[in-house]
Amino acid sequence: MGKPKIRFKGFTEEWEQRKLGDYSELITKGTTPSCFCEDGDVTFVKIEALREKRVVKELCSAISEEIHKRELARSILKEDDIVFAIAGATVGKCAVITGNILPANTNQALAIIRLKTNINRDFVYFSLTSKQMEIYINQSKSIGAQPNLSLAQMNAFEFLCPCQKEEQQKIGDYFSALDHLITLHQRKCDETKKLKKYMLQKMFPQNGMKVPEIRFEGFTGDWEQRKLGETLYSLRNNTLSRAELSLENGVAKNVHYGDILVKFGEILDVKKELLPMIVDELVLAKYRDSFLQNGDIVIADTAEDETVGKCSEIAGVSDEKIIAGLHTIPCRPLFNFASGYLGYYLNSDDYHRQLLPLMQGIKVTSISKSALQDTKIQYPKSLEEQEQIGTYLRWLGHLITLHQRKRDELVKIKKYMLQNMFV
């Protein structure tokens, strides 16, 4: 018996402890079919297809109607069944079966939980994703082994449940609404990323063309093309490792190549991002002539894959002292560019394709400063056109960040409420 910390108004009764088997008319599992077929009529649900509460049909396999009914009759899925991963590293992952993927079947890695009518399906689903189940899984596994749950253990899983189905439904509806919002913001984020990628391809000239496919109204004429060595000149970078930097205090900020590859976008606002600090004042004196300014470009010259060459344009500098760090090539334009233009162009597919044949190494890939000198940079003559391109792409980046941040906030809320709305 017990009560959750957070509860909907009007409910006061103690929750009852029950076993999952008390509320299930069936808990079983499937079998690996003898064969799959690309054009099969039956959806075959695998662990990889489970996404939050739903099954993504495009990530499923297919089997024939004959195998579905003859070989796997025991594990024919029905609408509202809950499938729960019981083997391997993904134990605990689960989803609800909806009508759009039926007819469907599954294998022995997933338990099929078919509930009786006296309990709310969504309440059970979220109980299975709560801390209670996480603890149960950890208590059930052998030392050093991957967790596995038997059907008997699934039947025996005990959880606290409200006596009133109305309270169960309110809890289930609340978490379903949270999941919907999380999915919505993730979808918006993904769609905006696709749009940005598309526009990065269309707003810069491709394949030797002199004008882009998509252009802001009012601008005409061919774009300029120059070698990088005729457009930017190199600054000096330090070679300090992470261990020689501090996140707490120092005499100057440091732009590390690893942050460019993983953390920073095309524009690095030094006031908004947390940069590691250089603590040695001798380093400050040595690189005084290479302090970074707004509009400078910092290129990562080493990576473990073909992302080498990714760069960030510096922005937001006022009186900060900032130096490019280990495995970077810092550059400064020889003439004016609109804010943001170079950051987006030098990260575009059109420019990055030029870097691919210049990359060296197998496990670790690198590109040299001298190799970059002959790469071509294209840009419109009009600073106003450059500015409109930079402003538009920056706006898309802002939308991506906005949706990602909102999604992350909702995930945190969901985690907190799962811990406090279940006993």
Side-chain angles (χ1 to χ4, degrees), residues 132-142 147 149 153:
Q132 301 170 77
M133 176 52 82
E134 184 183 331
I135 293 169
Y136 187 68
I137 291 170
N138 288 331
Q139 289 174 341
S140 301
K141 73 175 184 178
S142 303
L149 293 176
Q153 287 172 315

Side-chain angles (χ1 to χ4, degrees), residues 280-341:
D280 188 349
E281 291 195 8
L282 294 176
V283 174
L284 187 67
K286 184 178 179 181
Y287 295 96
R288 194 174 298 278
D289 61 344
S290 291
F291 288 170
L292 296 174
Q293 302 174 4
N294 291 327
D296 288 348
I297 302 294
V298 184
I299 303 167
D301 68 10
T302 298
E304 293 182 358
D305 52 26
E306 291 182 350
T307 57
V308 61
K310 186 174 181 289
C311 63
S312 294
E313 179 178 328
I314 301 299
V317 180
S318 51
D319 56 354
E320 296 91 346
K321 296 178 178 64
I322 306 156
I323 304 171
L326 181 69
H327 290 311
T328 67
I329 302 173
C331 303
R332 180 166 296 159
L334 286 160
F335 45 89
N336 286 341
F337 282 90
S339 175
Y341 178 81

Side-chain angles (χ1 to χ4, degrees), residues 24 55 156 202 215 217 289 291 296 299 308 355 406 417:
S24 306
V55 176
K202 301 297 181 180
R215 201 168 187 181
E217 190 175 355
D289 61 344
F291 288 170
D296 288 348
I299 303 167
V308 61
L355 306 185
K406 191 65 179 176
M417 297 304 277

